Every structure is written in C-alpha cells, then in structure tokens.
Amino acid sequence: MSGDGRKTWSFRYRTKLGRQCRITLGVHTSAFGLSEAREAARRLLGEVSGGGDPGLSLRRRRIEAATEHLKTFGDLAAAYFADTEGGRYRCKRASTIRNETIVYRKHIQSSLARIPLESMDRRLIRGMLKRLLDAGVTSQAVRAQAVIRQILNYGVFEERLAFNPIRDLPPVVTFVPRRRVYSDEELRLIWNGVKTAESLRVPPALAEKRRDGERVKIGAPMRLAILLSVQLLQRRCEILGMARSELDLRHGLWTIPATRMKSKRDHVVPLSPWVIENIEAALALSDELGCDLIFPGPRDSNKPICGHALNWAFGAVLKAVGIEGATPHDLRRTGSTLMTSERVGVAPFIRSKVLGHSDSGGGAQVSMRHYDVNEYVRAKRDALEKWQSLLRDIVGETPAPSATVQFAGLLANLGGVGSAPTSMFGVGAAGAWLTQRQALVPTRTVAPIVQLVVGRASSSSTAKRALDENGPSPRPPVQVELFSRKDSVRA
C-alpha cells in the first residue's frame, strides 16, 4: 500500500545471478483481485524458472516502444538532429549542427531517408558515397560519410541498432592536409589590398562571374576583421564573434568564452596597441547600433557577420592581387609557421597556446586538460608582439608614435650598478624604479627623468588605458631601455 492509500500487487523474485528484483503486477481493483494477481505471478514465476528476468524484459519492451517511430534512416536522422540541437546527445556548436544538416539535406536525404534501418548495411552506404564521387563531389563526400556514421552511432545509442555498419569504414577519399603558406610578398599584397580595396580591380576573365564585376566592394568592418585575423591569428568565427563584453582594452586582453572555442575552453588573447587601434576603429563603427557585437550582421545586429561573407571578401582580394589556391584559414598556418621559424623563434608549445590549440607540451595530456588552467598570458603576449613586429616589417607598416622612453647612459650615472638588459615597465613602475635610485645619483639627474617618464607616458591615450588607479596595469605601456652610452638621454 502506498502513502496515498493506493493498493498494488507486486511479485518478488531472484534472478539466476542472485539479484533480488521486484515487479509491479498491477493496481488492486475489483477486476484485478487476489486470484488475478496470483495467476500473473505464476506466469512470471515460470519465466524466472526458465532463466528469464521479467523486469528486464519489461524495460526492454518500454524502450522498444519509445523508439518504435524510428523506422527509417530519415526518422533516425531527424531524431539525431533534434536531440543534438537540444543538448540531449553530444552537445555541439550551432554552426556544426547547421553544417551537418546542410550536408544531410544536400547529399544524403534523397538517397537514404526512406531506407528501413534494418536494411542499412555497409554495401548500400558505400554505393551511395561512390555515386557522389562519380558526380565530382569529393570533400563533401567525406563529410557525408562522417554525418552518416554519427547518425548511425546515435541509433546504437538509442538501442535502435545493434551496431554501426560503417564504424570502421575508411574515408572514401584520402584526406590530404593543406600546407599552403603565404610568402612575404603575398602577405604584403593581401594586407595592402585589404586596406585599399576600393582601388583593386578583378581581372575581366574572373569578373564575368561576379555580382560586383571588376570592383572589389568590402566594407570597413570587414576590412578590420580581416586585418585582425592576420594580426591575432584566431579563427574567422572567433574574430567575427568578438563582443564588447569579452574585451578588456585597459589591460590589453580579449577573453573568448568556451562556448565559442573549438577546444571548449576559455581562451585569452593578449592585445597590443597596434591591434587595439583596429578594435577601437571597429567599435566606433558599431557604436550607433547599441549592440554587444563588434562586427554585427547587416540584417540582425544581434548576430555576427557570417563567416562565408569573410571568405567572399577575402577571395575577392585574392583574385584582384593575383593569388591563387589560398583561403583565409591559410593566414593561421602562415602565422603559425613564421612564429616558430628562426625569424621569430617562439616555442611550439606557446605557439599552440596563441592559436587556442590543446597541447600537452611534452607532459601528460590529463595534466594539461584537468590540472593546468594557466593561460600563459605573458608568454602569449610576447609571442604575438614578436609576430606582429615581423608582420609590420613584411607589410611595410610604420609603428605609430607611442610612450616609449629610452634612457642612455643611465647605468653609468648610477654609480657602478653595471649593465642590464632592456626591461619593460609600466608608468608607475618606471617612476618608482627611478625614484628608488635617487640616493645613488644626484637629484638633478633622476628627477627630470622621472618627470619625463610620467609626463610623456601620461599624454598617450594608449598609456592612459593601461593605467590603473591602484598602480600599473599588467600591460606595460612604457618601455625603458638602458644603454651604456654617456650623456645621451632622449624620449
């Protein structure tokens, strides 16, 4: 009897493995009394005596009834996309689900949707993929195979299929990783072409198939997005999805949330003054819309510019400057390659952190994934500054005037302190460092230098962003260089 006074009949039994179980026979009513309950118990006792498990059989029948509507591959695909989008099966990004849906509708649905699940076998699927290859579809055939495999895996998960017939089927086309890296001249053409897109012209042979003809029409926000992709080496969707709430320009940091990262982990990207100039220009363009996004879409300001739009704009520049066989993602590969080359000299582990990759760095993968939550901001900032310095040299960009103060002969005046390498200071740190040494040198030598540091640095808007009311910011706005030459102090 339950707490609400309802009476039910139950049957207790022990399986052949010794597990004690109980199964409900029914609710006590005038139609289902003691004699009916005993008769039902005798039938179940016979099943138990034969080595069966009535409770397990009941649960199996319920599962089969719940998935009975999944009769064809099309039914299974619809349930897969619904459960994936709802987060009930393998949480994926919205863009991934959208791309899988497009591949299914374009290449799979017409061939397999009406096939009963019991008839899905390896030979049938291979024949369908072979027809795609015969039609000239190559990379999409590989994607179609991956989507079919995941849908069938979902069928196994739902216990609608006993196994996945193509679980170990090799790809229908051997995947060859791209190795395209831009040369210095190509980087220069791309950078200057994006900045002066209005002066570019697409060759007539290619312009016939273009909506805009020979002209290259790229708006200011898209130009800035492409330039930031070159400077920061982040993925196009991460650049286009940049939001005000993710930026900390005061400390020169951009935190990409895990929900927008391929690695499913937060990613901190250090920002240099050169990068901040482009971000501030993009902010000024989107200020009047009052949205959080830096690069809002043209139709809906709550959604970012589509990644395909960046591909189209970048492709137009490539056609105009005469570069073939290239994509926007090749920018990441180019920057990654140059970053670890002898021209920059960044360690591969830090390079991976800059790009937002998961890298154990020679240690245990479990340690990096679960026990190391460092962002390596200082090392990443140094790596990006070295890359951007090389990029400036390649594209011919002249650094803008900044709050850089060079002290020459200061070490000699400090009374035998000795030589030291170049150091980076914030404004407050530089002033404090020099003030502490007033006891070592005459006041007339140090006081004007301290005044020079604070005065010049405070006049810079970039430095002002970096200053904190309680002290210097983590992003050093002022560079203090110590030389051994005498009587040469300049800023």
Side-chain angles (χ1 to χ4, degrees):
M1 180 180 294
S2 62
D4 57 359
R6 189 181 59 169
K7 299 178 181 179
T8 57
W9 299 105
S10 297
F11 171 65
R12 293 181 180 273
Y13 64 96
R14 190 179 297 275
T15 66
K16 62 180 181 179
L17 298 178
R19 186 167 59 91
Q20 186 173 349
C21 304
R22 186 182 70 174
I23 185 172
T24 301
L25 300 176
V27 179
H28 177 270
T29 61
S30 58
F32 193 75
L34 178 60
S35 59
E36 290 79 9
R38 284 177 174 174
E39 181 63 27
R42 289 191 190 99
R43 289 196 299 268
L44 294 179
L45 183 60
E47 183 178 348
V48 173
S49 300
D53 186 345
L56 180 61
S57 300
L58 178 61
R59 288 193 293 272
R60 183 173 296 169
R61 288 195 298 271
R62 288 175 178 174
I63 293 175
E64 291 175 354
T67 59
E68 184 63 27
H69 64 287
L70 303 178
K71 297 180 179 180
T72 65
F73 184 78
D75 297 335
L76 186 64
Y80 163 77
F81 288 121
D83 284 357
T84 304
E85 187 174 0
R88 294 180 293 274
Y89 176 76
R90 293 195 61 186
C91 296
K92 297 183 178 182
R93 291 184 298 178
S95 59
T96 302
I97 299 174
R98 183 172 61 252
N99 292 336
E100 289 183 356
T101 305
I102 292 173
V103 171
Y104 172 77
R105 291 176 179 174
K106 187 174 182 179
H107 301 296
I108 303 173
Q109 188 172 21
S110 60
S111 300
L112 301 180
R114 297 182 180 180
I115 304 297
L117 289 179
E118 290 75 12
S119 301
M120 293 293 296
D121 57 24
R122 196 183 185 98
R123 183 178 180 181
L124 176 68
I125 297 171
R126 288 186 65 182
M128 171 259 174
L129 295 173
K130 189 175 183 300
R131 288 193 296 273
L132 287 180
L133 295 178
D134 293 340
V137 180
T138 54
S139 61
Q140 288 292 307
V142 177
R143 293 188 176 94
Q145 179 181 350
V147 172
I148 294 172
R149 183 175 60 250
Q150 293 185 65
I151 293 174
L152 293 177
N153 282 337
Y154 171 76
V156 175
F157 173 79
E158 287 291 323
E159 300 185 11
R160 189 61 182 83
L161 293 173
F163 63 95
N164 184 345
I166 64 167
R167 182 183 59 181
D168 57 349
L169 181 68
V172 290
V173 178
T174 303
F175 175 72
V176 179
R178 285 182 62 86
R179 299 182 63 85
R180 181 70 159 88
V181 175
Y182 294 113
S183 65
D184 286 6
E185 179 61 23
E186 288 175 330
L187 277 178
R188 188 179 303 110
L189 289 173
I190 292 172
W191 183 273
N192 295 327
V194 170
K195 298 191 73 173
T196 60
E198 65 280 354
S199 64
L200 298 179
R201 291 295 180 269
V202 175
L206 300 175
E208 295 177 356
K209 302 178 181 180
R210 299 184 69 251
R211 178 186 60 196
D212 298 328
E214 295 183 357
R215 299 185 60 188
V216 177
K217 297 181 180 179
I218 304 178
M222 183 62 74
R223 297 188 194 189
L224 292 169
I226 296 176
L227 295 181
L228 286 171
S229 298
V230 184
Q231 292 175 312
L232 296 175
L233 304 178
Q234 305 304 307
R235 300 176 183 89
R236 63 173 189 179
C237 59
E238 294 159 4
I239 293 290
L240 294 174
M242 183 185 293
R244 287 170 166 79
S245 57
E246 299 172 359
L247 294 171
D248 182 2
L249 298 185
R250 181 179 205 165
H251 300 100
L253 297 173
W254 171 31
T255 303
I256 309 176
T259 53
R260 293 208 304 113
M261 286 297 298
K262 187 176 181 179
S263 62
K264 300 294 188 294
R265 296 183 63 173
D266 291 347
H267 179 45
V268 178
V269 183
L271 307 175
S272 68
W274 188 30
V275 172
I276 290 177
E277 289 176 7
N278 286 333
I279 293 178
E280 288 182 333
L283 284 169
L285 294 173
S286 60
D287 274 344
E288 59 184 17
L289 298 177
C291 59
D292 188 42
L293 292 171
I294 308 299
F295 301 104
R299 295 181 179 86
D300 187 352
S301 60
N302 293 318
K303 294 182 179 180
I305 296 175
C306 178
H308 297 295
L310 188 145
N311 286 354
W312 183 90
F314 191 80
V317 173
L318 294 181
K319 290 183 176 69
V321 299
I323 298 177
E324 299 179 352
T327 66
H329 199 74
D330 295 334
L331 292 170
R332 269 170 66 88
R333 186 179 302 104
T334 301
S336 173
T337 302
L338 291 176
M339 199 178 292
T340 53
S341 69
E342 60 183 5
R343 301 173 68 180
V344 178
V346 174
F349 174 68
I350 299 302
R351 183 269 315 272
S352 297
K353 294 301 178 183
V354 170
L355 298 179
H357 290 163
S358 297
D359 193 333
S360 61
Q365 186 69 31
V366 66
S367 299
M368 288 300 302
R369 181 173 298 177
H370 302 293
Y371 296 97
D372 187 353
V373 295
N374 290 313
E375 287 292 343
Y376 301 91
V377 175
R378 179 176 297 179
K380 289 194 291 187
R381 187 184 297 280
D382 180 65
L384 280 173
E385 286 177 351
K386 289 179 178 178
W387 154 244
Q388 291 162 15
S389 176
L390 175 62
L391 180 63
R392 279 187 184 274
D393 294 338
I394 292 174
V395 303
E397 285 272 344
T398 304
S402 61
T404 301
V405 184
Q406 295 183 345
F407 295 92
L410 184 57
L411 285 176
N413 293 331
L414 289 180
V417 174
S419 60
T422 301
S423 303
M424 296 293 291
F425 292 92
V427 173
W433 185 85
L434 291 170
T435 304
Q436 291 172 1
R437 283 150 180 80
Q438 285 189 2
L440 300 179
V441 295
T443 303
R444 58 182 176 83
T445 304
V446 175
I449 296 177
V450 176
Q451 184 178 3
L452 179 65
V453 174
V454 179
R456 287 292 181 89
S458 299
S459 64
S460 168
S461 60
T462 302
K464 287 180 179 179
R465 282 195 304 270
L467 284 176
D468 197 325
E469 291 82 2
N470 299 321
S473 70
R475 180 169 62 88
V478 179
Q479 182 176 359
V480 181
E481 299 184 2
L482 307 180
F483 297 90
S484 59
R485 295 196 305 273
K486 295 182 178 180
D487 303 327
S488 176
V489 179
R490 58 190 178 88

